[in-house]
């Protein structure tokens, strides 16, 4: 794994390692849950994101509900989601090339300002009564364009804020931050939508960007960890793709989150349809689903912050569990049962997200981290333009239950197949036994028969 600027990335797994490179018999090191917050620059970044993320979740709920109100179509919600992530699919890799060349802090000042102005413009249209569905489509696409650079810049900027020693903890806390905002944002959005209208949610989101912009301006440049920027040159995009293609510990997790993100993470489509069509609720029910999912997501992120390493077998098991619970939720007969299942769905979804993000960052050389993270985000988020209209069509045609069940089935299938591939790459076989009265899953090297640490 990369331990600093210029350090070679981790080699592919071999017979002495698990599929994710954890040495045989070694348990992951645990750390303080909030240790990276001791760093002033990261603390400013974290606090700014707390405020901005609440606004982001408010806008997400308001945007989805506004489109559903204007059109009455789950497919239209899917199109909105697709347009927001289409730029990542089209230009994500080029955004990564730019991020590797540019200084991260000035770049983030520009992208965050652009997203603030977009939210304020949509607020004005909505509050004045002139909003049409194409305005929402355009705003979603504009945010997506900013995200092409903003997302890999924010992901890779974390390593400059905290250094390699605190990277796992900081990435996990970032996820906990985003999902904690999900506890507040949807609830506030539901109150605003039912009380005064969606326009105020858009306006407050635009104003919320003041917090991260202020945090970026207050940071001390001398305390940032220096990372060598890639020089301008030809072939840098191909270089990044070759880098990933030659490392199984990078390419297969990216493939897995591609399938999961494309078909199983389309929560705006699924949850709005369940709230409106299945349980005949309003925006308050939709925001409740998102809030309960956030409870599980925060728990998953905080548990990840306690772990010292990110193991790929944990990723596989979490993806399997995530898909299985989605299938179970699709069959839930009552509102309360479906709502409670949002908690484990959020927990397993966040475990998949954090484990993939951290393992990729820690296995990547800093000089190409922007391109690698752009590829990861392009696959994870950029799959929505493909998946959202498909699951939206399935939901409209066959019902919300069928759409959610299909997403869960894709997640289970992808996790099972890629888990077998990773085990084969590591020359391992799976064994199941009992230890002290409980089932234990072990990866055993095929040639030596040496048992590895049980999956925890």
């Amino acid at each position: 794994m990369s331990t600093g600027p210029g350090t070679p990335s981790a080699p592919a797994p071999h017979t002495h390692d698990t599929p994710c490179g954890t040495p045989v018999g070694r348990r992951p090191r645990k750390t303080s849950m909030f240790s990276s917050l001791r760093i002033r620059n990261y603390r400013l970044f974290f606090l700014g994101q707390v405020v901005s993320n609440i606004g982001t979740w408010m806008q997400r709920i308001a945007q989805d509900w506004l489109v559903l109100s204007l059109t009455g179509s789950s497919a239209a919600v899917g199109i909105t989601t697709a347009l927001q992530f289409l730029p990542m699919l089209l230009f994500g890799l080029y955004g990564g090339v730019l991020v590797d060349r540019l200084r991260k802090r000035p770049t983030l000042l520009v992208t965050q300002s652009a997203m603030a102005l977009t939210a304020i413009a949509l607020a004005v249209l909505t509050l004045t009564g002139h909003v049409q569905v194409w305005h929402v489509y355009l705003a979603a696409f504009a945010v997506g364009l900013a995200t092409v650079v903003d997302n890999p810049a924010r992901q890779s900027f974390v390593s400059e804020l905290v250094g390699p020693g605190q990277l796992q903890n900081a990435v996990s806390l970032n996820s906990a931050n985003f999902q904690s905002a999900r506890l507040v944002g949807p609830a506030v959005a539901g109150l605003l939508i039912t009380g005064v209208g969606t326009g105020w949610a858009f306006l407050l989101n635009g104003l919320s960007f003041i917090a991260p912009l202020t945090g970026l301006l207050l940071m001390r440049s001398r305390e940032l960890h220096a990372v060598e920027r890639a020089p301008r040159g030809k072939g840098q995009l191909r270089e990044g793709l070759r880098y990933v293609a030659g490392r199984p510990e990078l390419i297969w997790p990216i493939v897995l989150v591609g399938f999961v993100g494309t078909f199983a993470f389309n929560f705006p489509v699924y949850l709005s349809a369940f709230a409106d069509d299945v349980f005949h609720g309003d925006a308050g029910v939709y925001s409740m689903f998102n809030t309960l999912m956030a409870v599980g997501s925060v728990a998953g992120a905080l548990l990840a912050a306690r772990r010292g390493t990110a193991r790929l077998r944990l990723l596989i098991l979490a993806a399997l569990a995530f898909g299985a619970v989605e299938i179970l939720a699709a069959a839930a007969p009552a509102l309360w049962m479906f709502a409670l299942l949002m908690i484990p769905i959020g927990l397993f979804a966040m475990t998949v997200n954090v484990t993939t993000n951290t393992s990729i960052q820690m296995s990547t050389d800093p000089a190409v981290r922007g391109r690698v993270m752009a590829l990861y985000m392009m696959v994870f988020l950029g799959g929505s333009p493909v998946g959202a209209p498909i699951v939206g069509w399935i939901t409209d045609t066959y019902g919300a239950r069928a759409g959610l069940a299909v997403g869960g089935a894709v997640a289970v299938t992808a996790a099972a197949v890629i888990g077998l591939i990773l085990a084969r790459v590591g020359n391992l076989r799976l064994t199941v036994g009992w230890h002290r009265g409980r089932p234990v899953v072990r990866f055993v090297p095929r040639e030596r028969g040496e048992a590895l640490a049980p999956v925890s």
Side-chain angles (χ1 to χ4, degrees):
M1 293 184 182
S2 177
T3 56
T7 305
S9 61
H14 50 75
T15 56
H16 298 286
D17 291 351
T18 66
C20 57
T22 302
V24 174
R26 182 180 299 175
R27 291 190 178 276
R29 175 181 55 83
K30 291 186 178 181
T31 185
S32 169
M33 189 174 288
F34 303 103
S35 57
S36 54
L37 287 176
R38 300 189 187 104
I39 301 169
R40 180 183 181 275
N41 281 346
Y42 179 73
R43 193 162 59 247
L44 288 169
F45 179 81
F46 184 89
L47 293 174
Q49 291 299 308
V50 168
V51 178
S52 180
N53 286 335
I54 290 174
T56 296
W57 278 113
M58 290 170 58
Q59 172 142 337
R60 284 192 178 189
I61 301 300
Q63 174 180 280
D64 297 338
W65 201 256
L66 177 60
V67 171
L68 194 63
S69 300
L70 291 172
T71 65
S73 169
S74 294
V77 178
I79 290 171
T80 308
T81 304
L83 287 171
Q84 187 158 334
F85 297 120
L86 180 62
M88 181 66 73
L89 180 63
L90 297 177
F91 312 116
L93 291 177
Y94 297 98
V97 172
L98 286 175
V99 167
D100 280 336
R101 293 176 182 173
L102 301 173
R103 289 190 299 155
K104 307 300 185 297
R105 187 159 58 141
T107 300
L108 289 171
L109 287 169
V110 172
T111 57
Q112 297 275 294
S113 298
M115 287 189 282
L117 293 174
T118 301
I120 291 172
L122 188 57
V124 171
L125 286 169
T126 306
L127 291 171
T128 57
H130 293 97
V131 69
Q132 299 179 37
V133 69
W134 71 267
H135 293 142
V136 186
Y137 288 164
L138 184 61
F141 188 76
V143 169
L145 284 175
T147 303
V148 167
V149 176
D150 182 82
N151 226 316
R154 275 190 298 108
Q155 299 285 344
S156 54
F157 187 50
V158 173
S159 63
E160 296 187 26
L161 293 170
V162 302
Q166 293 288 343
L167 183 58
Q168 158 83 8
N169 182 260
V171 169
S172 299
L173 287 182
N174 278 355
S175 298
N177 182 334
F178 187 69
Q179 296 303 327
S180 297
R182 194 174 184 176
L183 293 171
V184 180
V188 175
L191 292 174
L192 288 173
I193 293 169
T194 56
V196 294
T198 56
W200 290 100
F202 299 140
L203 179 61
L204 289 178
N205 177 48
L207 296 176
S208 74
F209 283 95
I210 294 173
L213 291 171
T214 302
L216 289 166
L217 292 171
L218 290 177
M219 288 178 186
R220 296 169 181 163
S221 299
R222 66 181 181 277
E223 294 179 8
L224 294 174
H225 293 257
V227 173
E228 181 181 355
R229 283 183 284 155
R232 190 180 185 88
K234 294 182 178 180
Q236 290 177 322
L237 181 58
R238 290 191 299 272
E239 177 189 355
L241 293 174
R242 284 196 300 268
Y243 182 90
V244 173
R247 289 164 172 77
E249 73 276 18
L250 295 179
I251 186 64
W252 289 114
I254 290 175
V255 171
L256 174 58
V257 299
F259 279 104
V260 174
T262 298
F263 296 101
F265 268 55
N266 287 289
F267 300 122
V269 178
Y270 298 138
L271 300 188
S272 61
F274 267 87
D276 188 39
D277 299 333
V278 177
F279 298 117
H280 309 292
D282 56 11
V285 174
Y286 180 45
S287 65
M288 179 188 68
F289 290 158
N290 281 276
T291 299
L292 288 171
M293 186 179 294
V295 171
S297 298
V298 171
L302 292 178
L303 288 173
R306 289 281 293 168
R307 289 189 291 268
T309 58
R311 300 186 292 178
L312 293 189
R313 61 181 173 184
L314 175 63
L315 169 62
I316 298 300
L317 291 174
L320 284 168
F322 168 70
V325 179
E326 277 202 339
I327 294 172
L328 182 62
L335 172 62
W336 67 267
M337 187 181 299
F338 182 84
L340 286 179
L341 286 172
M342 293 300 99
I343 297 176
I345 285 178
L347 189 150
F348 292 125
M350 183 50 52
T351 303
V352 170
N353 192 347
V354 172
T355 304
T356 308
N357 190 317
T358 307
S359 65
I360 289 174
Q361 289 213 50
M362 296 180 72
S363 299
T364 303
D365 192 293
V368 295
R369 186 170 286 147
R371 279 164 283 180
V372 174
M373 293 309 297
L375 176 62
Y376 161 64
M377 298 309 299
M378 184 193 77
V379 172
F380 185 40
L381 300 179
S384 291
V386 178
I390 293 175
V391 300
W393 174 80
I394 293 173
T395 299
D396 280 343
T397 305
Y398 301 102
R401 296 187 186 279
L404 184 58
V406 168
V410 170
V412 168
T413 303
V417 171
I418 291 172
L420 292 173
I421 292 173
L422 285 170
R424 188 173 184 85
V425 168
N427 199 26
L428 306 172
R429 61 184 176 86
L430 188 68
T431 64
V432 181
W434 289 85
H435 179 68
R436 296 179 180 177
R438 65 183 180 91
V440 175
V441 180
R442 298 176 186 268
F443 286 105
V444 179
R446 295 178 183 275
E447 297 177 355
R448 292 183 162 189
E450 179 185 357
L452 302 186
V455 171
S456 54

